[in-house]
Amino acid sequence: MINPMLPATMTMLEKLVADIFEQLEGIPEHDLNAWLPRDGMRDVNTFFALATHTVGAGEFWILEAASGRPVERNRIAEFVSTGSLEQLRVRFDRWLAETEEIFATIDDDTLASVFYRPASPERGMSEARRTRAECIAHALEHTAVHLGHLQLQRQLWEAEQVAAVDPA
């Protein structure tokens, strides 16, 4: 029997990903890859880098940590990545499809078992010790947090676009 939290989690992940693409739609590719707020805010990432980090983390926490499928991930590289909206869409779609497969087969004993990862500073990853259920919950929470970041970033981007056209 499938744990009832898994279909609910899948529904939430699909909604969050749809909302992520709502934030990214209509942004020119140059801005997707290069735009940062002009106020000189530190530690702000491009739209593409933030979306890449979001899906990279989701892949890691669900595909590898929760289910044991190996994922090649370099967290540091996610923050300097560039590409197209279509590349993001393909990657997110693949992540969701693989997540749905995992959720259809993972059992409660596996969800209760502990995932351990030693620190890997060269890949920007700290030590982790969580149940596999917590890994899935973390992926959901992490995706939601970065959706919020993308929503704020989109608002800042739109405000700058308006200001450039109508400097009032």
Side-chain angles (χ1 to χ4, degrees):
M1 183 169 125
I2 294 175
N3 183 306
M5 285 302 295
L6 296 173
T9 301
M10 190 69 215
T11 297
M12 292 304 303
L13 280 172
E14 290 169 338
K15 180 178 181 342
L16 291 169
V17 169
D19 289 349
I20 285 170
F21 281 96
E22 188 176 310
Q23 301 312 307
L24 300 175
E25 289 291 337
I27 296 174
E29 191 167 311
H30 176 268
D31 287 357
L32 187 71
N33 288 291
W35 182 86
L36 296 171
R38 67 177 150 200
D39 291 338
M41 300 168 83
R42 305 184 98 202
D43 298 326
V44 174
N45 299 292
T46 66
F47 289 104
F48 190 91
L50 187 53
T52 298
H53 170 66
T54 303
V55 71
E59 289 166 341
F60 175 78
W61 286 109
I62 293 177
L63 305 183
E64 184 167 322
S67 78
R69 294 182 186 185
V71 172
E72 285 297 318
R73 180 178 187 216
N74 183 333
R75 185 178 180 278
I76 294 169
E78 293 167 3
F79 294 105
V80 294
S81 61
T82 59
S84 69
L85 186 62
E86 185 56 30
Q87 288 171 313
L88 286 172
R89 194 175 309 283
V90 166
R91 188 167 175 190
F92 272 94
D93 286 349
R94 184 178 59 237
W95 171 49
L96 290 176
E98 289 182 37
T99 296
E100 192 167 36
E101 289 173 18
I102 289 163
F103 286 3
T105 59
I106 199 167
D107 59 37
D108 286 346
D109 288 340
T110 302
L111 289 169
S113 67
V114 174
F115 165 77
Y116 172 75
R117 173 194 67 205
S120 178
E122 68 280 358
R123 292 173 55 210
M125 299 167 91
S126 61
E127 179 182 67
R129 185 183 312 270
R130 300 176 181 192
T131 67
R132 294 178 197 287
E134 289 170 327
C135 293
I136 292 169
H138 179 66
L140 181 64
E141 177 263 343
H142 189 264
T143 302
V145 165
H146 287 314
L147 166 59
H149 294 155
L150 286 166
Q151 289 168 329
L152 290 170
Q153 192 154 330
R154 177 68 186 241
Q155 290 173 358
L156 291 169
W157 179 81
E158 287 177 347
E160 285 190 18
Q161 305 314 300
V162 170
V165 173
D166 182 20

